[in-house]
Amino acid sequence: MTNRRPKISDKHKICIICEGNEEYKYLERLKSIHVWNDIYDISLDNAKGNGNIPARYQDRYQNGSYEVVFVFCDTEKKPYEQYEDIKHKINDFHGIGNASDEIVIFGNPCTMQIISKHWTYEVIKKPAKAVNAPLIEKYTGVKGYKGRNDQIDEIMKFITADNYKDMRDRVQKMNQNDHIDGTSNFVKLLEIFETDDIQWIDAINKKIGDA
C-alpha cells in the first residue's frame, strides 16, 4: 500500500467521501463555522450517489495525498443492501474483514438523523424525506423538504457553533450499532477532528493494514 503520510504538508490531510449533497453541504458547513482543530486540512468529495462510493474511495486512497480517507453515508432502511455493499467492497479492497469499521461514518437511516440533533433529541426512523419534512420545518422553517440544493442551503443556516455543542452531546449518547434504527457513529469524527492528538491517524492505518 502507499504511504499515507504526504511528503510535504504543514497540516494533516484528510479526505471524506460524501454520499451526496446533504452529507457534503453539512460537513462543508461544519468546516465553515470552525468547530474542528485547525491542524487538519479536510477535503470533501461528493460521490453523488452511494453506488459511486467504493470506486471513489479506492481512487482517493490510492492517490496518496491523504493520511486517512473516510466515507460518510446513510444506511437507508433494512436490509441495508447498498450500505453493506459499500462496506464489503472497502473490506475487499484492503483485504481485511473489518476495515470499513474504521473509516465508514454512518447515519441510520439517514444523515438527517445527525443534522437534526443540532436542535432535538427526536429520533428519525425512516429515510423518506416526505416523512421527515415536518420535523425539518419545525426547527428550520423549511417547508416541504425534498432534498433540493436550495433547501439544504437554507437548513445549513441553522447550524451554528453553539448548537454544534448540543448536537455533539446528543450524538455522543447514540447507539453506534449500524443495524439499529436511529443510530450513528458520527461522534467518532467529532472526537478526532476536535483533538490535536494525531495518534488516531496511525491507529486507523494500522488497523486497515497500511502502517
Side-chain angles (χ1 to χ4, degrees), residues 86-105:
I86 290 169
K87 294 201 299 179
H88 177 72
K89 288 178 178 177
I90 289 174
N91 291 339
D92 278 355
F93 171 66
H94 286 288
I96 297 175
N98 61 348
S100 61
D101 292 344
E102 301 301 320
I103 52 86
V104 173
I105 305 301

Side-chain angles (χ1 to χ4, degrees), residues 14 16 18 24-38 40-45 159 164 193:
I14 311 297
I16 306 177
C18 302
Y24 182 88
K25 288 178 177 289
Y26 177 53
L27 294 186
E28 188 177 51
R29 176 62 175 174
L30 293 185
K31 285 181 60 179
S32 74
I33 59 176
H34 305 290
V35 289
W36 291 336
N37 199 300
D38 193 46
Y40 303 110
D41 178 4
I42 301 170
S43 298
L44 306 178
D45 189 342
I159 303 294
Y164 169 86
F193 289 160

Side-chain angles (χ1 to χ4, degrees), residues 50-63:
N50 55 19
N52 299 324
I53 290 176
R56 192 69 62 89
Y57 174 81
Q58 183 172 334
D59 178 74
R60 295 299 180 264
Y61 185 91
Q62 292 180 322
N63 177 276

Side-chain angles (χ1 to χ4, degrees), residues 11-170:
K11 292 190 178 185
H12 297 278
K13 298 188 70 175
I14 311 297
C15 180
I16 306 177
I17 309 296
C18 302
E19 177 179 329
N21 293 337
E22 273 188 5
E23 292 78 14
Y24 182 88
K25 288 178 177 289
Y26 177 53
L27 294 186
E28 188 177 51
R29 176 62 175 174
L30 293 185
K31 285 181 60 179
S32 74
I33 59 176
H34 305 290
V35 289
W36 291 336
N37 199 300
D38 193 46
I39 68 171
Y40 303 110
D41 178 4
I42 301 170
S43 298
L44 306 178
D45 189 342
N46 190 345
K48 298 182 179 180
N50 55 19
N52 299 324
I53 290 176
R56 192 69 62 89
Y57 174 81
Q58 183 172 334
D59 178 74
R60 295 299 180 264
Y61 185 91
Q62 292 180 322
N63 177 276
S65 296
Y66 306 104
E67 295 180 60
V68 177
V69 179
F70 288 104
V71 167
F72 182 32
C73 63
D74 297 340
T75 65
E76 293 294 342
K77 57 187 178 181
K78 298 175 183 178
Y80 312 122
E81 291 176 346
Q82 291 176 311
Y83 171 72
E84 287 298 329
D85 186 58
I86 290 169
K87 294 201 299 179
H88 177 72
K89 288 178 178 177
I90 289 174
N91 291 339
D92 278 355
F93 171 66
H94 286 288
I96 297 175
N98 61 348
S100 61
D101 292 344
E102 301 301 320
I103 52 86
V104 173
I105 305 301
F106 70 89
N108 182 331
C110 58
T111 301
M112 194 55 68
Q113 186 77 262
I114 300 162
I115 297 173
S116 65
K117 295 302 176 287
H118 283 264
W119 316 297
T120 178
Y121 274 107
E122 291 183 61
V123 175
I124 290 176
K125 296 182 178 180
K126 295 182 179 181
K129 291 179 171 58
V131 174
N132 299 315
L135 182 146
I136 294 169
E137 181 178 354
K138 178 179 179 180
Y139 292 102
T140 69
V142 175
K143 297 181 179 180
Y145 183 68
K146 296 181 179 179
R148 298 196 315 265
N149 280 335
D150 63 308
Q151 292 177 318
I152 299 173
D153 288 340
E154 187 62 27
I155 288 172
M156 291 306 113
K157 295 177 184 178
F158 293 86
I159 303 294
T160 68
D162 285 339
N163 61 38
Y164 169 86
K165 298 174 184 176
D166 297 330
M167 177 275 295
R168 193 191 195 288
D169 289 343
R170 290 165 180 153

